[in-house]
Amino acid sequence: MTDPDDETAPPCPLDDDLSSFSARYEHVRGRLDALAKPVGSLGTLEDWCARICALQRTPAPRIDGALCLVFAADHGAARDERDGGEGCSAYPPSVTRKVVEALDRGLAGACALARRGGARLRAVDVGVSPGPAAYEWSGDAVRPAAFRLPEGTRNFCAGDAMTGGEVDSCLDVGRRETEKMVGESPSGSRLVVCFGEVGIGNTTSSSALIAALS
């Protein structure tokens, strides 16, 4: 922090209400690099520490709890070629539902990590294809979104994966589910919110998005 008696010192970005996130982040990284340790020796922990300090505008951040929100859906490109897809994954799309069912039953690896870390975990079905047997989500660990794609997205190699309206609706689901989960926490809590996703073919879809946007 800036010495209040030093009138020549530049203002500390953490004290400046108009400072950018980047300025605050770089300031904290500089403080970390000046500590008695090899620069960057704590790896990504230093990055997350700097991010949280920058967000909370303090060198001594407080975290009262962690939330993990996972969105699940199937990708059309991952379907078998006989079903109009590209067969781009080593695993069939049905595995998506199996993973989400494991999340609902508390059996997935993410569930064990959440329990160990004291984090609240929830998954939202935005477009998981129906399975061979009827199974209803619990509504707590896994819940269906207010808007969902009944069969997941379409094959983007053959056309649009989603319409513009579908994209807007899915983004709205993300905002609403985040607000809902945060709102269920005690008032005034300082939380870390982690986002995840489940869906066979996700690497193919994310690679296509990166290629299109970069």
Side-chain angles (χ1 to χ4, degrees), residues 13-158:
L14 296 177
D15 298 329
D16 185 358
D17 292 339
L18 300 179
S19 64
S20 67
F21 173 84
S22 296
R24 299 193 301 272
Y25 174 86
E26 292 301 331
H27 175 77
V28 177
R29 286 305 300 249
R31 288 175 62 96
L32 291 172
D33 291 344
L35 297 177
K37 64 173 185 58
V39 173
S41 60
L42 299 181
T44 56
L45 182 61
E46 295 188 19
D47 176 55
W48 285 110
C49 176
R51 287 171 181 265
I52 294 171
C53 288
L55 287 169
Q56 295 190 6
R57 297 175 178 269
T58 175
R62 189 187 88 216
I63 297 175
D64 301 318
L67 310 178
C68 184
L69 189 54
V70 178
F71 296 91
D74 279 303
H75 298 272
R79 296 191 185 99
D80 190 274
E81 293 180 9
R82 294 169 295 182
D83 297 324
E86 303 297 321
C88 59
S89 175
Y91 304 97
S94 58
V95 173
T96 298
R97 173 164 284 274
K98 294 297 184 184
V99 172
V100 180
E101 288 181 4
L103 286 169
D104 202 29
R105 295 186 173 107
L107 302 176
C111 300
L113 291 172
R115 285 193 295 269
R116 179 64 177 174
R120 288 178 54 213
L121 173 66
R122 177 176 295 161
V124 181
D125 173 6
V126 192
V128 178
S129 298
Y135 182 92
E136 293 187 7
W137 305 129
S138 65
D140 182 27
V142 179
R143 63 172 62 181
F147 171 85
R148 60 183 305 279
L149 304 167
E151 301 287 340
T153 63
R154 293 173 285 278
N155 181 5
F156 64 76
C157 293

Side-chain angles (χ1 to χ4, degrees), residues 169-189:
S169 295
C170 287
L171 291 174
D172 188 58
V173 165
R175 285 189 289 268
R176 290 177 181 274
E177 290 293 339
T178 302
E179 292 171 354
K180 187 182 304 180
M181 196 172 187
V182 170
E184 293 169 356
S185 301
S187 177
S189 297

